[in-house]
Amino acid sequence: MRKEIPHSVGMELELRGPWHWSVIRPVAGLLTTTGGAAYVYTGIAFEIPLVRSLRLTPAFAPGLVLAPGDGDLGHVVEFRSSLELSVAPDRMVRVGLGFSHISNAKLGTRNPGVEVLTLRLAFGAT
């Protein structure tokens, strides 16, 4: 979302398993972009119910860069922190808007980081 970072469109596939402990749920995912980047991650999400079917979901997931694409983030290990607001119009569908930041937490000599805005459509999500 910053001018100095190359922009691209991405697709993310995320699995939030059926297992959970209170509001904590494990997540794993793969993010790819039209710029040739690929990132795989695993971590935890905190699914916090709000009013009706509205849900706030902060998450944290360390991961590995499989391909840097057009934006080298400075290290093979990167950390993804995110915040999502979603609603379930149906028992088996959830629609949300998410914002995440991916960076290497100064593990490398460079740490430009990248911001990601996501429109999320989840199936089988209650």
Side-chain angles (χ1 to χ4, degrees):
M1 294 177 14
R2 291 174 284 167
K3 290 180 184 177
E4 64 273 9
I5 302 288
H7 291 79
S8 60
V9 175
M11 178 172 275
E12 184 174 11
L13 177 63
E14 184 174 275
L15 172 64
R16 294 183 187 177
W19 327 277
H20 59 89
W21 304 273
S22 183
V23 298
I24 301 171
R25 177 169 280 183
V27 298
L30 171 67
L31 172 63
T32 62
T33 72
T34 56
Y39 173 70
V40 63
Y41 61 89
T42 184
I44 56 172
F46 300 87
E47 296 182 338
I48 303 165
L50 301 175
V51 296
R52 302 184 190 228
S53 66
L54 201 60
R55 182 185 296 161
L56 184 65
T57 308
F60 176 75
L64 298 173
V65 175
L66 302 176
D70 60 5
D72 182 9
L73 296 178
H75 202 273
V76 69
V77 176
E78 299 287 334
F79 300 92
R80 179 181 177 266
S81 51
S82 63
L83 185 63
E84 174 188 311
L85 185 63
S86 64
V87 65
D90 180 274
R91 192 175 146 263
M92 296 300 288
V93 176
R94 182 164 286 280
V95 179
L97 187 62
F99 177 80
S100 60
H101 175 77
I102 301 173
S103 74
N104 66 38
K106 298 185 180 178
L107 290 176
T109 56
R110 294 181 55 252
N111 186 26
V114 66
E115 285 74 36
V116 180
L117 185 61
T118 308
L119 176 60
R120 187 173 300 267
L121 183 57
F123 297 99
T126 55

